[in-house]
């Protein structure tokens, strides 16, 4: 995380990929449950906005292919972060 904060390209790419990997699993959950909000918390959010951006990136890609009923909002938990 410190490397990403220092704008290290490889660290940022790794965090974004982690977000996309998490996003691929969340996309299946969204298609199944159709939540209006997805709240990410704990260590995941401590990894920074790059992980959340990766999750959102996957969700947008999934919207283009899977066409869920709505797009869930991805937010950072205000508790336990």
């Amino acid at each position: 995380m410190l490397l990403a904060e220092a704008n290290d390209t490889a660290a940022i790419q790794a965090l974004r990929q982690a977000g996309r990997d998490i996003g691929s699993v969340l996309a299946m959950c969204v298609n199944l449950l159709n939540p209006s909000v997805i709240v990410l918390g704990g260590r995941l959010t401590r990894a920074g906005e790059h992980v959340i951006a990766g999750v959102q990136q996957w969700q947008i890609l999934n919207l283009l292919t899977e066409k869920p009923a709505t797009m869930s909002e991805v937010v950072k938990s205000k508790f336990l972060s």
Side-chain angles (χ1 to χ4, degrees):
M1 291 187 308
L2 293 175
L3 291 174
E5 289 172 4
N7 292 323
D8 181 271
T9 304
I12 291 170
Q13 288 175 345
L15 289 173
R16 289 259 175 145
Q17 184 59 50
R20 286 189 292 272
D21 293 343
I22 293 164
S24 69
V25 174
L26 287 176
M28 288 184 273
C29 296
V30 166
N31 286 333
L32 179 65
L33 303 171
N34 198 21
S36 59
V37 177
I38 299 170
V39 179
L40 303 176
R43 289 185 180 174
L44 181 62
T45 58
R46 285 187 219 129
E49 295 301 316
H50 298 296
V51 173
I52 293 173
V55 171
Q56 291 169 332
Q57 196 174 36
W58 180 265
Q59 186 181 26
I60 290 167
L61 290 173
N62 189 59
L63 273 174
L64 297 175
T65 59
E66 297 293 325
K67 307 284 189 233
T70 59
M71 184 168 167
S72 301
E73 181 181 6
V74 179
V75 298
K76 186 176 178 178
S77 171
K78 295 182 186 199
F79 303 100
L80 304 175
S81 292

